[in-house]
Amino acid sequence: MPQTWMITGANRGIGLAITMELLRRGDQVVAAARNPWGGALAELAAEHTSALIPLELDVTSDDSVAAAKAALGDQPLDVLVNNAGLYGPRDRQTGLSVDFDAWREVFEVNVYAPVRVAQAFLPNVEAGAGRKIATISSRMGSIGSNPSGSLIYRSSKTAVNMAMVVFGNAIRERDVSVLLFHPGWVQTDMGGGAADITPTESASSLIRTIDASGMAQTNSFRSWTGEAIPW
């Protein structure tokens, strides 16, 4: 049976790839982005006139999230994917040199926004049959992997893992699963051309893993293929 997914940051990278894969298999996608009517999303909307729902959304703005929630109304969502993300400056992320303004900006997008969006659209997820909220995190947020470098990005992913686990425990009794994923090292603007896998490979495996997940996997931190990742 076709599902309805909402993807933030749906206009590029992994978000766009997930959107394309879902449309290809016949699902409906609420494609959320600051400009959901331009670029590749515009082409997809022309091809999938009823299956793709553009939704204007700036995940860093309370007002924008509220307006997007009002625009979507009571539309049920089977799966909400918090995908929008930011890496930060690559030359000011060491333990000895940090761009604090950039750090705050990255936390706004990578940590506060997923919670802001999940809280706002939780009623829509509760109205759906899938009842899943997935957040694209990163293996780089794993403290157990003994990380070095990329302080801004790594700390934001560690923080969003904690934030979404707390959120997941808060809504556990509502039978909504909360899932955290490392999407792989993906060939995107963020991952670079030397990365291991294509956006399509990441997206298709993420979709399969999310499809197979439920309350038994809530508050788990896994790879795009379902492999457990140490916190």
Side-chain angles (χ1 to χ4, degrees), residues 94-216:
T94 73
L96 299 175
S97 176
V98 180
D99 184 331
F100 284 93
D101 289 336
W103 201 354
R104 293 183 189 96
E105 182 183 13
V106 169
F107 258 64
E108 186 68 60
V109 176
N110 292 1
V111 184
Y112 311 149
V115 177
R116 179 185 288 117
V117 170
Q119 289 177 343
F121 292 94
L122 177 59
N124 302 81
V125 176
E126 289 184 287
R131 305 177 72 83
K132 301 170 188 179
I133 298 175
T135 296
I136 304 302
S137 182
S138 172
R139 188 187 296 273
M140 291 179 72
S142 168
I143 296 175
S145 68
N146 191 27
S148 61
S150 303
L151 171 61
I152 291 174
Y153 185 73
R154 288 183 186 276
S155 64
S156 74
K157 292 306 184 180
T158 305
V160 77
N161 287 351
M162 175 62 82
M164 294 312 296
V165 167
V166 171
F167 178 77
N169 283 330
I171 66 168
R172 185 184 290 271
E173 64 183 20
R174 303 189 188 199
D175 198 33
V176 173
S177 55
V178 173
L179 313 165
L180 290 151
F181 291 103
H182 167 58
W185 186 20
V186 187
Q187 297 165 13
T188 62
D189 290 342
M190 185 183 295
D196 293 333
I197 60 176
T198 67
T200 298
E201 290 172 320
S202 174
S204 59
S205 290
L206 278 168
I207 291 168
R208 285 195 297 271
T209 303
I210 293 171
D211 280 341
S213 300
M215 286 304 297

Side-chain angles (χ1 to χ4, degrees), residues 1-5 22 25-29 78-79 129-130 132 211:
M1 176 178 290
Q3 301 180 64
T4 300
W5 291 48
L22 290 171
R25 76 174 191 176
D27 287 334
Q28 185 178 55
V29 180
D78 291 294
V79 183
K132 301 170 188 179
D211 280 341

